[in-house]
Amino acid sequence: MIHHLARPLLVLAALGLCASGLAGCAAFSPDSGMTTVSELTNQSINKDVAFVRTTEGAGAVDGRVRQLLSRTLTADAAVQIALLNNKGLQAAYNELALAETDLVEQSLPPHPVFSISGISGKGASEIERQVVGDILALATLPFRSDIARDRFRQAQLRAALATLRLAADVRRAYWRAVAGSEMVVLLTDAKATAESTAQLAVKLGETGSLNKLDQAREQVFYAETTADLATARQTTASARERLARLMGLWDGGLDFRLPNQLPPLPRRPHALPTIEADAVAHRIDLQIARLELTALAKSLNLTEATRFVTLLDLAGISRRTRDPEGPPFRERGFDVQFQIPLFDGGEVRVRQAAEIYNFAFNRLTERAVNVRSEARDAYRTYRSSYDIASHYQREIVPLRKIITEEMQLRFSSMQVDIFALLTEARQRLASLRAAIDAKQRFFLAQSDLQTAVNGGGSPAPGSDNPTTIAAAAPPDGGH
């Protein structure tokens, strides 16, 4: 059969080799494209990323995670644990590996189809052999392969975006958990003081030295502080659980240690005069949109090039006929099949491709406008939150401390009574709680600023692991 079909096979093989040489058959990379992901994320967060695919790799990750958990967690350590241990992120890397299989598949020539059929009757028989190849697919292979490379690059960017998004989520959860711990400590001390005051108010009321109104004021302060402490504990517990989920911790790692209070503010805020340009240049979501536009432009050109012929198959035929009334004979030939869109002239496909391209172009333009606005807004929020938190630290908290010390001195010299001292204690508690909130808002704004410049936006509400990327489906080349 090979001998009889030698000529059509040679034609198909020559076309295949020619197309392969033009397209450059892609091969699987040793790391499934993770080097690019690591380079992109390292520029923004300077953390190690790992695609765990072997038992040895899993063991190394477990050892690193245990080492980081053995110490009091910092924000950077929490991010590093999540990048190594979060299974949702590993699933995103699995999808990147799947995207690479699409790239390799699209760079290979189409497989020829072999067929053999036999017919017999009344002593006669006929055997027909065919080998069929898709000539149009071979001719367009370099273009489709080029588009597939752009799609794979998009998949790499999406994996990097998932990595940055996880890092941003971990930082937010970390700051909320630490701020919650600091609030719990503050409210625990306040509750102890309020309890002592309420007990004193009851005793004074029994002696007639304190009326019911003042007694109720002290008791309600204790009751409200108790409720606030319970709320703070629950909020902190939920923040710790969210942080544990993002870090991918199982039962054994849930006893991780966090600092009792937020770190001090930086001595001065960052000055970012080119924040808008930096965001437009570095945002990974914009890079993905640009690549999408490039791939669609190439796909549009391919669609226009194949608009009049959408199917072109070449078949080599060898037929051997045995007739009882004569000697057997052999016939050879070929068959060409092609499809011409007589009713629309390819206009439908071209219009569809053009509108998809215009859609992507408008979305990219809209995204670029939004990115600039988001960057400006994030920086303004960052600066204002720094100024507010710094104002509390430099002005309000020290002044409250001075007032408390002076009130204690006056109480010791009997210039003010216990109730004036307690009133000041309530006001100081309110200022300290506001100071913790202001500092937490600053660290959250700092994380949001990094996100606004590099990408990794907020996840969908209620999602803990928003790291899934879509493996890019290769275009069909318009046929």
Side-chain angles (χ1 to χ4, degrees):
M1 180 175 71
I2 300 300
H3 173 72
H4 299 313
L5 301 180
R7 180 168 296 179
L9 276 175
L10 287 175
V11 172
L12 293 175
L15 288 172
L17 290 173
C18 181
S20 300
L22 292 173
C25 291
F28 289 105
S29 60
D31 61 351
S32 301
M34 282 298 297
T35 298
T36 300
V37 176
S38 178
E39 291 172 353
L40 287 169
T41 55
N42 191 62
Q43 297 171 4
S44 304
I45 56 179
N46 194 26
K47 294 289 179 293
D48 297 329
V49 296
F51 186 13
V52 182
R53 308 177 73 176
T54 64
T55 304
E56 293 78 8
V61 165
D62 289 342
R64 180 78 181 280
V65 169
R66 285 195 299 270
Q67 179 186 12
L68 292 170
L69 288 173
S70 65
R71 301 185 292 268
T72 301
L73 275 185
T74 63
D76 288 338
V79 170
Q80 184 62 82
I81 291 172
L83 296 185
L84 296 175
N85 204 46
N86 184 283
K87 300 308 178 186
L89 185 62
Q90 291 299 311
Y93 296 159
N94 289 134
E95 288 192 315
L96 174 60
L98 287 174
E100 188 179 38
T101 65
D102 291 332
L103 168 63
V104 174
E105 182 181 27
Q106 288 298 306
S107 71
L108 297 176
H111 301 291
V113 178
F114 296 88
S115 69
I116 182 169
S117 60
I119 301 175
S120 62
K122 295 184 179 181
S125 63
E126 183 179 277
I127 298 176
E128 181 177 289
R129 306 174 182 88
Q130 290 190 37
V131 57
V132 183
D134 188 342
I135 303 302
L136 188 60
L138 285 172
T140 59
L141 179 61
F143 306 99
R144 292 186 293 108
S145 179
D146 191 27
I147 294 172
R149 287 190 180 90
D150 289 340
R151 299 293 187 190
F152 178 63
R153 173 64 177 174
Q154 282 182 278
Q156 289 178 309
L157 291 174
R158 289 192 178 97
L161 187 62
T163 305
L164 294 179
R165 176 171 296 165
L166 177 61
D169 289 343
V170 170
R171 289 188 182 278
R172 294 185 188 102
Y174 177 85
W175 295 127
R176 290 190 174 102
V178 175
S181 297
E182 186 173 357
M183 189 68 74
V184 166
V185 172
L186 176 64
L187 291 175
T188 299
D189 293 340
K191 179 188 174 185
T193 301
E195 184 177 14
S196 300
T197 303
Q199 292 173 354
L200 176 60
V202 171
K203 292 179 180 179
L204 292 175
E206 291 173 352
T207 63
S209 302
L210 190 65
N211 59 45
K212 289 185 178 181
L213 177 60
D214 291 332
Q215 289 183 61
R217 284 172 177 166
E218 301 309 322
Q219 289 170 355
V220 77
F221 174 60
Y222 170 60
E224 289 174 345
T225 304
T226 301
D228 290 345
L229 176 59
T231 301
R233 284 175 174 165
Q234 178 55 51
T235 301
T236 303
S238 296
R240 283 182 62 93
E241 284 293 347
R242 175 167 172 76
L243 180 59
R245 291 195 299 270
L246 292 171
M247 292 192 296
L249 298 181
W250 202 252
D251 292 342
L254 297 181
D255 58 346
F256 57 87
R257 298 192 305 274
L258 292 176
N260 290 328
Q261 60 183 12
L262 293 166
L265 295 173
R267 299 189 64 178
R268 58 181 61 88
H270 296 298
L272 300 175
T274 60
I275 179 71
E276 297 176 48
D278 292 342
V280 171
H282 298 132
R283 281 285 287 261
I284 291 183
D285 52 352
L286 273 183
Q287 295 180 46
I288 293 173
R290 293 189 190 104
L291 274 176
E292 175 68 19
L293 198 63
T294 300
L296 287 174
K298 294 175 181 177
S299 179
L300 176 60
N301 291 334
L302 184 58
T303 301
E304 290 179 340
T306 60
R307 64 182 298 183
F308 296 114
V309 178
T310 60
L311 176 66
L312 180 60
D313 289 341
L314 172 65
I317 303 174
S318 175
R319 180 181 300 156
R320 185 175 185 273
T321 303
R322 183 185 297 275
D323 191 330
E325 298 180 358
F329 61 92
R330 192 180 306 279
E331 299 171 295
R332 301 182 182 88
F334 65 91
D335 177 58
V336 178
Q337 296 182 15
F338 56 92
Q339 184 183 75
I340 300 177
L342 297 177
F343 301 106
D344 66 0
E347 185 68 21
V348 172
R349 293 186 301 111
V350 173
R351 285 287 186 94
Q352 288 175 340
E355 290 306 321
I356 292 173
Y357 176 85
N358 292 333
F359 173 85
F361 175 79
N362 289 326
R363 285 298 190 193
L364 173 60
T365 305
E366 178 194 33
R367 191 72 196 122
V369 172
N370 292 346
V371 161
R372 292 173 64 89
S373 176
E374 290 168 6
R376 291 193 302 267
D377 186 54
Y379 184 68
R380 279 194 296 265
T381 303
Y382 165 79
R383 281 306 308 263
S384 64
S385 62
Y386 177 85
D387 293 339
I388 294 170
S390 178
H391 182 69
Y392 270 99
Q393 297 299 315
R394 290 184 291 103
E395 301 291 339
I396 297 176
V397 173
L399 286 174
R400 280 296 177 190
K401 182 180 179 182
I402 292 173
I403 292 172
T404 299
E405 292 173 349
E406 290 296 323
M407 290 294 290
Q408 288 174 344
L409 290 175
R410 283 163 173 72
F411 175 73
S412 299
S413 61
M414 302 182 66
Q415 297 181 31
V416 296
D417 58 17
I418 183 64
F419 301 108
L421 188 65
L422 295 175
T423 299
E424 169 54 31
R426 287 195 291 268
Q427 294 173 348
R428 182 170 184 267
L429 174 62
S431 295
L432 292 176
R433 293 178 66 175
I436 294 174
D437 287 338
K439 190 184 289 189
Q440 177 187 231
R441 285 194 295 272
F442 165 74
F443 285 109
L444 292 175
Q446 184 174 254
S447 299
D448 292 341
L449 178 62
Q450 187 178 28
T451 295
V453 175
N454 299 313
S458 300
S463 175
D464 291 317
N465 290 312
T467 54
T468 301
I469 60 172
D476 61 4
H479 59 87

